[in-house]
Amino acid sequence: MSAAGYLLTAAPVVAMALLAAATRPMARTAAPRRLATVRAALITGGYAVLTVEVLGVLHALTPLNVTAAWLLFLAAAGVAAGWRRRRDAVRGGEAVAAAPRPALVGAPAGPPAAPGTAEAGPAGVPPDARPTRDGWRTRLAERWRTASRGERLLAGTTAGLLLAELVVALLAEPNNFDSQTYHLPKVERWVAQADLDFWATAIHRQVTIPPGAEYLLLHLRLLTGGDRLHNLVQWAAGVGCLLVAARIVAQLGGGRRAQLLTAFVLATTPMVALQATSTQTDLVVAAWVGCAATLVLDELRRRTGLGTLLGLGAAAGLTAVTKTNGLIAVGPLLVLWGLAQLRLARAGSATADGSDAAGERGAAGAGGPGGADGRGGARGEPGAGGAGPRIARTVGGAVLVVVVAAAVVGPFVARVTAEFGHPLGPPRLRESIPMERHDPLSVLVNAARIGHTAFDTPFAPLRHAAAEAIIQGAEAIGVDPQDREITFGREIFPEPSWYPDEDRVAFPLTGALALLGTAVALARPRRLAPPDVGALRAYAALVVLVVVLHTAMIKWQPWGNRLLLYVLTLAVPLAGLWLDALFRRRASTPTLAVPATPVAGRRSIAALAATVVLATSALAGVLAVSYGFPRRLVGAGSVFTASEWETRFLRRPQWADEFRWAAAAVRDSGARRIGLVEQNDNWEYPWWLLLRDADGRPPELLALRSVLPDRPPAEPSSVDAIVCTGPRTACVRLVPPGWRVEYRTYVGYALPPPG
């Protein structure tokens, strides 16, 4: 990759930083800088998706056009940030001039800020708008100085894991199995076509699976000419999940320690650590779901402004265009938001306490999603205009959310509907992953199997005993535990999932903490000391509902744990709140050698157990990054010692020489129009890399088998050479008479006779 390519990839990052500065909330709110980051991420993600769609319609998906699009976006973000800075300077100067002089030098200006919110400033001055000489380094140093030893350990461990994951993401070539089959081949196909039109293929997932994450990869591919930075999309999404989860804790009343505990627990989850260096899509969808959740929580006690409506629509659309399982959470979140808005509309108040938000709203153009303050909803006096107009505005806002979401995901859905006659794709897709039985007993068995796989441990006797109990219990209630209508493909339950593999590793510690936190939030929310018990209970109930819906809608599969990452992102904040409350209550007990009461003793034991669990979580996270599969820091296959092609084929090392052998023979023949013979789960991506010409131009690959009814495959006699993966018989069946066929175990090729 050229130096220019590296510079170009900085444009989206810089633009997002500028947008975060431009969309800082002006009203007091929980974790305002994280909220600004969420807004900037939604704007940037929506722009990235819509840019691909527009350029695709114009058949103009080229490096030059994508570069121009990002430079234009960067310029617009710079203008927005500059406008916001000038506006803040004017507002800050006016507010400081109008502020009363303190009676005594050094006297406090007001009460301390609530946990998780910005500092209080002079009267009438938004905390993020007043002038300050303290940069981010000063603030960070002050927070580190005032942090306890435990908080420093939590922050240091989390930061260390993120740094180690960044190293792996940068050094390791993409080698995820699904990416070899359909994630990355579809990116290469778009580059070759310069548009998003569907193509003949034997791998239906290349065209039927939502492509939102691959759109982001496409930008990197066009800007850099290669896949060296592809892993950074999931790494950035992982960072986003931590920031969003920590902000949700702040919104629910948790202080700094609770937020650090949440980030720590999520970061040390092996599935999160391994996915953060991958070209999978699960962290990306989890991040968009988290964005939707944090925006909804902001609006439970206030009327929603135009900017936040746009943000909710963008979050829903980005979730839908990335992975549809995320809609299992976004749907209930939007229902919760709608119910809260209807309640406020009927009550005739702009905010929970009946105050008018009009005086706090900012210009939507300056504040982005939510405006500058994220409110900007009701205008005038509380109750003005009657309940009917307020309810109508709420319904209109809901329609706007749907319209924005449709603008993001609609073009892809339209292509799928036109191709297959159904917005969810062909029958084989609609019947493979979603549950086909929804009776309570079948859902119960499915939930038990999903739970068994998610909570798997290295202790084989425990795994076998639990699996046997589930199988016997299912048979006792008349449900086949291997029923194809509740089981993906031909897979057989149970399947070990404790090993740190990016596609299936379990999360028993994180899951247990999340379950405990959710149970306490529902049963005894005041133990968590939130300022708003109702919001906490509603959020915990929503998490439970999402889990139930997931088990009722998604079939069990051996690699189903990664499909639960969006649920973990929503649930771990409750674990952070519970852990913080546990340590807080432990600290309040008498500091004697023998606890004063049995209750104090139980608190001490519980706190000690929680500490052991956190230490084990840290160990699990470190081991996942160090020895995880198929990318690791140390051991066989380390990113420091393995060569490029060793890394790419770590999943199937025996195939590396076969692909390179066949590709070399085809290149030597001078063929440019090459036929593909493959099955639904075969690796296609290596051909796109190995068959490029000396200038890096992609080959012309044409499928000789197609599962798309209206996209017939190419005629074998029309190509210059054929490359095959899978059974030799499938390849030979399509080779024209007289062609020479060479085959090894998995890979082969065919060439026409000389002359």
Side-chain angles (χ1 to χ4, degrees), residues 654-700:
Q654 68 275 19
W655 293 349
D657 289 339
E658 296 191 17
F659 268 99
R660 299 176 75 180
W661 158 76
V666 172
R667 283 199 314 270
D668 292 343
S669 72
R672 290 302 301 167
R673 185 177 169 87
I674 303 167
L676 279 175
V677 179
E678 55 192 3
Q679 286 71 48
N680 186 56
D681 208 29
N682 289 174
W683 284 19
E684 180 180 315
Y685 186 57
W687 297 127
W688 289 99
L689 300 178
L690 293 168
L691 295 175
R692 290 181 184 175
D693 63 18
D695 296 329
R697 290 182 303 173
E700 185 179 2

Side-chain angles (χ1 to χ4, degrees), residues 538-632:
Y539 185 80
L542 182 138
V543 170
V544 173
L545 175 62
V546 170
V547 172
V548 172
L549 289 176
H550 184 96
T551 58
M553 299 176 70
I554 305 295
K555 292 178 179 179
W556 174 86
Q557 51 188 284
W559 41 88
N561 288 342
R562 61 184 179 82
L563 303 181
L564 289 167
L565 279 180
Y566 76 99
V567 181
L568 280 183
T569 301
L570 296 181
V572 167
L574 300 175
L577 286 170
W578 174 71
L579 288 168
D580 180 62
L582 180 64
F583 291 130
R584 184 174 62 247
R585 290 164 65 86
R586 169 66 182 90
S588 66
T589 58
T591 56
L592 300 176
V594 178
T597 65
V599 173
R602 289 196 296 271
R603 290 177 185 171
S604 298
I605 295 173
L608 177 61
T611 302
V612 172
V613 170
L614 291 176
T616 308
S617 296
L619 178 61
V622 170
L623 290 176
V625 175
S626 301
Y627 294 98
F629 193 76
R631 293 165 303 279
R632 57 178 53 168

Side-chain angles (χ1 to χ4, degrees), residues 176 178 182-183 213 233-234 237-238 241 271-272 274-276 278-290 322-326 502-504 550 557 559-567 569:
N176 173 263
D178 285 347
Y182 68 96
H183 289 309
V233 171
Q234 280 264 105
C241 288
M271 179 63 78
V272 174
L274 291 168
Q275 287 263 326
S278 169
T279 46
Q280 269 288 8
T281 62
D282 303 286
L283 279 178
V284 178
V285 73
W288 297 135
V289 170
T322 301
K323 204 160 195 172
T324 51
N325 66 321
E502 65 172 356
D503 285 334
R504 63 179 64 199
H550 184 96
Q557 51 188 284
W559 41 88
N561 288 342
R562 61 184 179 82
L563 303 181
L564 289 167
L565 279 180
Y566 76 99
V567 181
T569 301

Side-chain angles (χ1 to χ4, degrees), residues 69 74 91 106 181 261 333 430 444 503 596 600 614 667 695 701:
L74 178 61
R91 288 170 58 91
T181 300
L261 282 165
L333 281 167
R430 303 197 303 270
L444 178 63
D503 285 334
L614 291 176
R667 283 199 314 270
D695 296 329
L701 294 180

Side-chain angles (χ1 to χ4, degrees), residues 672-753:
R672 290 302 301 167
R673 185 177 169 87
I674 303 167
L676 279 175
V677 179
E678 55 192 3
Q679 286 71 48
N680 186 56
D681 208 29
N682 289 174
W683 284 19
E684 180 180 315
Y685 186 57
W687 297 127
W688 289 99
L689 300 178
L690 293 168
L691 295 175
R692 290 181 184 175
D693 63 18
D695 296 329
R697 290 182 303 173
E700 185 179 2
L701 294 180
L702 303 169
L704 301 185
R705 297 180 65 247
S706 177
V707 295
L708 276 66
D710 297 328
R711 307 279 174 173
E715 288 293 332
S717 59
S718 68
V719 299
D720 303 326
I722 296 174
V723 292
C724 308
T725 51
R728 177 188 174 95
T729 53
C731 180
V732 172
R733 190 179 303 122
L734 293 172
V735 173
W739 283 39
R740 176 171 59 92
V741 178
E742 298 288 343
Y743 223 90
R744 292 192 176 177
T745 58
Y746 178 76
V747 176
Y749 68 90
L751 295 173

